[in-house]
């Protein structure tokens, strides 16, 4: 028995096309990011409301106009990327831009943009689809965090005390500039070392006794006075250790050691 041959009718093709168009319209309406479609003349074929909001113009004023007409300040930067996608057929992903638009004149904004080719059935790149995310708040937050870290680092490095951190295996994680200069090492050489790499056994034992107290669950600071001879002179430090939880919840040791040699000398004089 021969099987009946089925063929798609023009009506069914129209229905498929209409459904795809409706799906595309739904994506453009609901997407939380800016979406745009640009032809080979760099003319907008389609934009969603989110992209129009970023640009600062109604969609009707954008569609049919070129990048140069809509984004004159930014076009010299983004045009080469559109051209690259048209020429190579390869996407260009997650490029960050800084610029100004009519939406907020005079205010610099930051966007993360990706460009993807739209290819015809014949294999020709007929348009480029752009996705645009406004990352201004994230960029500013990262800048604020970086400035905060720089201020904290400057504060730590200019402290006259030794400031350090160790992990649960009592390996050094951090030392401030005062400490590193005193021991004549750089941060890379300091990280991963242990107390016995710098101190004799008797001092190491006293230092690590405090480490163990912190690691065993001490909730209050552990305080001790330590002494070491440097260039033949006896030097004293007041060492304070305390528990810290890192971002992953792991227990680490924080410490601040302040030299008190002059106080010990005064105390000895009084005695």
């Amino acid at each position: 028995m021969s099987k009946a041959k089925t063929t798609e009718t023009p009506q069914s093709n129209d229905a498929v096309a209409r459904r795809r168009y409706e799906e595309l319209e739904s994506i453009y309406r609901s997407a939380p990011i800016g979406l745009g479609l640009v032809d080979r003349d760099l003319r907008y074929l389609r934009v969603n409301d989110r992209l129009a909001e970023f640009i600062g113009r109604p969609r009707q004023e954008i569609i049919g106009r070129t990048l140069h007409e809509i984004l004159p300040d930014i076009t010299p930067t983004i045009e080469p990327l559109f051209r690259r996608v048209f020429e190579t057929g390869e996407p260009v992903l997650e490029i960050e831009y800084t610029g100004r638009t009519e939406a907020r004149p005079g205010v610099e904004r930051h966007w993360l943009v990706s460009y993807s080719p739209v290819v015809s059935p014949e294999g020709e790149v007929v348009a480029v689809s752009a996705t645009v995310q406004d990352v201004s708040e994230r960029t500013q937050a990262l800048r604020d965090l970086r400035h905060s870290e720089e201020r904290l680092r400057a504060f730590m490095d200019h402290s006259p005390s030794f400031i350090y951190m160790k992990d649960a295996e009592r390996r050094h994680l951090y030392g401030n500039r005062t400490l590193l200069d005193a021991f004549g090492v750089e941060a890379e050489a300091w990280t991963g070392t242990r107390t016995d790499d710098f101190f004799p056994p008797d001092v190491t034992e006293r230092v690590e006794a405090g480490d163990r107290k912190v690691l065993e669950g001490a909730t209050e600071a552990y305080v001790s006075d330590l002494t070491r001879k440097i260039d033949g002179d006896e030097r004293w430090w007041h060492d304070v250790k305390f528990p810290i939880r890192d971002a992953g919840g792991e227990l680490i040791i924080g410490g601040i050691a302040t030299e008190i040699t002059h106080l010990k000398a005064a105390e000895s004089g009084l005695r």
Side-chain angles (χ1 to χ4, degrees), residues 14-131:
D14 289 344
V16 171
R18 185 164 53 252
R19 185 173 68 252
R20 289 177 178 172
Y21 177 81
E22 290 172 352
E23 290 171 350
L24 181 61
E25 282 295 308
S26 176
I27 292 171
Y28 264 68
R29 284 195 305 270
S30 60
I33 60 176
L35 298 174
L37 195 63
V38 174
D39 67 12
R40 282 188 167 272
D41 295 324
L42 302 184
R43 195 175 302 278
Y44 283 102
L45 300 175
R46 183 188 296 271
V47 296
N48 70 343
D49 288 332
R50 187 63 170 156
L51 183 57
E53 179 186 332
F54 291 163
I55 293 172
R57 293 194 186 190
R59 284 191 307 128
Q60 295 78 4
E61 291 185 13
I62 300 172
I63 295 173
R65 303 180 71 178
T66 66
L67 294 177
H68 290 277
E69 293 173 311
I70 300 300
L71 300 170
D73 294 337
I74 301 175
T75 296
T77 302
I78 63 178
E79 180 177 352
L81 296 174
F82 277 97
R83 298 293 186 197
R84 187 199 305 177
V85 177
F86 277 118
E87 291 169 5
T88 67
E90 297 294 329
V92 177
L93 304 177
E94 296 189 344
I95 304 297
E96 188 166 347
Y97 295 114
T98 298
R100 298 177 175 88
T101 66
E102 294 180 23
R104 301 186 65 181
V107 178
E108 279 199 343
R109 305 295 291 174
H110 304 273
W111 298 278
L112 194 65
V113 186
S114 294
Y115 306 94
S116 302
V118 178
V119 183
S120 70
E122 294 74 25
E124 179 187 2
V125 179
V126 294
V128 170
S129 175
T131 61

Side-chain angles (χ1 to χ4, degrees), residues 194-254:
R194 297 174 181 271
T195 304
D196 58 8
D197 291 319
F198 301 97
F199 289 98
D202 59 324
V203 176
T204 296
E205 176 54 35
R206 279 178 284 163
V207 170
E208 294 195 343
D211 293 344
R212 288 191 293 272
K213 289 286 187 182
V214 173
L215 294 172
E216 287 167 2
T219 56
E220 298 180 356
Y222 177 84
V223 181
S224 64
D225 289 348
L226 301 171
T227 181
R228 180 192 179 200
K229 285 189 176 181
I230 299 178
D231 298 329
D233 295 329
E234 189 174 47
R235 308 281 287 276
W236 284 86
W237 285 270
H238 184 70
D239 193 26
V240 181
K241 301 177 190 286
F242 42 88
I244 302 173
R245 294 285 177 182
D246 65 14
E250 296 295 324
L251 180 66
I252 60 178
I253 302 165

